[in-house]
């Protein structure tokens, strides 16, 4: 994301606990900060500070550090997958210091640099407008929208990821039916490529399945262990609270849990898809 912004002509001050990403960004024209507090010193007000961290304590710790330095009119963007209720609490803490929080649900994974990122943004209109030049650079045409007030971006991304679970599970199960058929030894990669052409199920996930099968036709090198990062659980809990039945998403989450106990080709496909679109680690077979 940093490199896409630099390509778009933005001036960036970057910091990371690891030196290598900072050095790569500096080689492309970014300025390096020595610490989170140094980020604030190097930016001219009104400042925009974008956090791209795991949900929970890492985001909280850095945000709390920044709030001791930021001033009225500054904006913090949380581009991670934070729970929307936590985002509301953080927004209140920011507001008490005159700082705006913008939550940006971000989809696109490791392909985003080349293709752009889908950005689901929540926050006050003035704060979103301040960050909009960055959003427009990061997103492809029509790939960015303010979807509501603060926390709305993370809520929409949460539901997005819940839907993703169901779609990936259906794809994985379909390929397992093909893989276990007695009819013939189906070329799963060829079928995935075929379904990309005018098929009702054509999608980026099917395209990624084709790439995964091209790399490993039988997925022999991938264990069926599939992690979940929390968003489907949150989606299901919200659905329960609102009496909305979500059987596909719920069963997809349960299937991932089952993958940690039993062997499943369907979950090998799901694991391969997560690796293809997001660079999520796979577990070696055996």
């Amino acid at each position: 994301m940093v490199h896409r912004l630099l390509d778009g002509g933005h001036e960036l001050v970057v910091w990371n606990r690891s030196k290598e990403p900072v050095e790569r960004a500096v080689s492309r024209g970014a300025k390096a900060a020595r610490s989170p507090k140094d980020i604030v010193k190097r930016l001219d007000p009104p400042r925009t500070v974008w956090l791209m961290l795991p949900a929970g304590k890492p985001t909280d710790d850095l945000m709390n550090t920044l709030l001791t330095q930021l001033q009225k009119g500054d904006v913090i963007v949380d581009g991670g997958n934070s729970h929307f209720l936590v985002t509301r609490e953080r927004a209140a803490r920011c507001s008490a210091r005159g700082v705006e929080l913008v939550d940006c649900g971000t989809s696109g994974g490791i392909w985003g640099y080349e293709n752009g990122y889908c950005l689901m943004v929540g926050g006050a209109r003035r704060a979103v407008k301040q960050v909009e030049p960055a959003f427009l650079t990061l997103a492809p045409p029509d790939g960015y929208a303010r979807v509501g007030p603060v926390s709305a971006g993370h809520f929409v991304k949460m539901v997005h990821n819940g839907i993703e679970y169901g779609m990936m599970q259906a794809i994985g199960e379909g390929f397992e039916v093909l893989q276990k058929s007695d009819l013939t030894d189906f070329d799963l990669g060829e079928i995935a490529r075929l379904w990309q052409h005018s098929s009702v199920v054509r999608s980026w996930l099917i395209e990624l399945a084709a790439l995964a099968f091209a790399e490993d036709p039988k997925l022999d090198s991938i264990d069926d262990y599939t992690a979940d990062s929390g968003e489907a659980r949150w989606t299901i809990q919200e659905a329960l609270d609102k009496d909305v039945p979500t059987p596909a998403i719920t069963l997809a989450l349960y299937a991932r849990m089952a993958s940690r106990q039993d062997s499943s080709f369907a979950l090998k496909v799901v694991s391969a898809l997560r690796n293809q679109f997001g660079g999520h680690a796979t577990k070696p077979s055996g």
Side-chain angles (χ1 to χ4, degrees), residues 92-111:
R93 294 205 306 272
C94 290
S95 181
R97 299 189 64 88
V99 175
E100 294 279 3
L101 179 62
V102 169
D103 53 298
C104 180
T106 307
S107 183
I110 58 176
W111 297 82

Side-chain angles (χ1 to χ4, degrees), residues 11-253:
E11 295 182 11
L12 303 184
V13 176
V14 297
W15 178 82
N16 189 283
R17 289 186 305 174
S18 302
K19 292 182 179 179
E20 292 79 7
V22 174
E23 291 171 351
R24 288 198 300 271
V26 169
S27 72
R28 300 283 296 274
K31 299 176 182 177
R34 295 185 298 274
S35 66
K37 292 181 179 180
D38 192 40
I39 295 172
V40 179
K41 292 178 182 178
R42 287 172 174 266
L43 291 172
D44 296 326
R47 305 170 183 85
T48 298
V49 182
W50 190 306
L51 310 185
M52 208 71 195
L53 296 166
K57 192 174 185 299
T59 298
D60 264 328
D61 288 349
L62 185 52
M63 189 174 295
N64 290 337
T65 298
L66 290 168
L67 283 176
T68 65
Q69 306 295 312
L70 293 172
Q71 301 173 350
K72 184 176 180 180
D74 292 342
V75 173
I76 295 176
V77 181
D78 179 5
N81 287 328
S82 296
H83 194 291
F84 71 98
L85 293 178
V86 175
T87 298
R88 290 179 188 174
E89 296 170 0
R90 291 173 178 157
R93 294 205 306 272
C94 290
S95 181
R97 299 189 64 88
V99 175
E100 294 279 3
L101 179 62
V102 169
D103 53 298
C104 180
T106 307
S107 183
I110 58 176
W111 297 82
Y113 171 69
E114 180 180 348
N115 299 331
Y117 302 87
C118 179
L119 304 179
M120 300 148 261
V121 178
R125 293 185 185 277
R126 184 207 66 79
V128 171
K129 198 70 176 176
Q130 178 174 315
V131 191
E132 189 169 69
F135 294 148
L136 292 172
T137 297
L138 289 169
D142 300 321
Y144 140 70
R146 177 186 178 272
V147 295
V150 70
S151 81
H154 282 155
F155 189 93
V156 171
K157 179 62 181 346
M158 175 188 75
V159 176
H160 166 283
N161 283 20
I163 293 169
E164 173 191 297
Y165 274 54
M167 292 174 66
M168 292 170 67
Q169 186 63 29
I171 292 169
E173 291 172 5
F175 277 107
E176 181 163 14
V177 173
L178 290 166
Q179 185 251 354
K180 291 189 174 178
S181 171
D182 294 330
L183 182 62
T184 185
D185 185 14
F186 286 111
D187 184 334
L188 302 184
E190 179 62 25
I191 291 169
R193 290 190 294 274
L194 172 66
W195 284 350
Q196 281 302 98
H197 301 281
S198 298
S199 161
V200 171
V201 298
R202 67 187 183 276
S203 65
W204 188 41
L205 288 174
I206 293 290
E207 179 183 344
L208 294 177
L211 291 174
F213 287 127
E215 294 172 2
D216 186 354
K218 302 293 186 181
L219 301 187
D220 290 331
S221 65
I222 300 175
D223 189 84
D224 61 341
Y225 182 103
T226 306
D228 74 278
S229 51
E231 293 89 346
R233 298 177 187 229
W234 303 341
T235 303
I236 293 164
Q237 185 59 58
E238 183 67 13
L240 289 170
D241 292 344
K242 299 297 188 295
D243 295 326
V244 177
T246 54
I249 296 172
T250 302
L251 291 175
L253 176 61

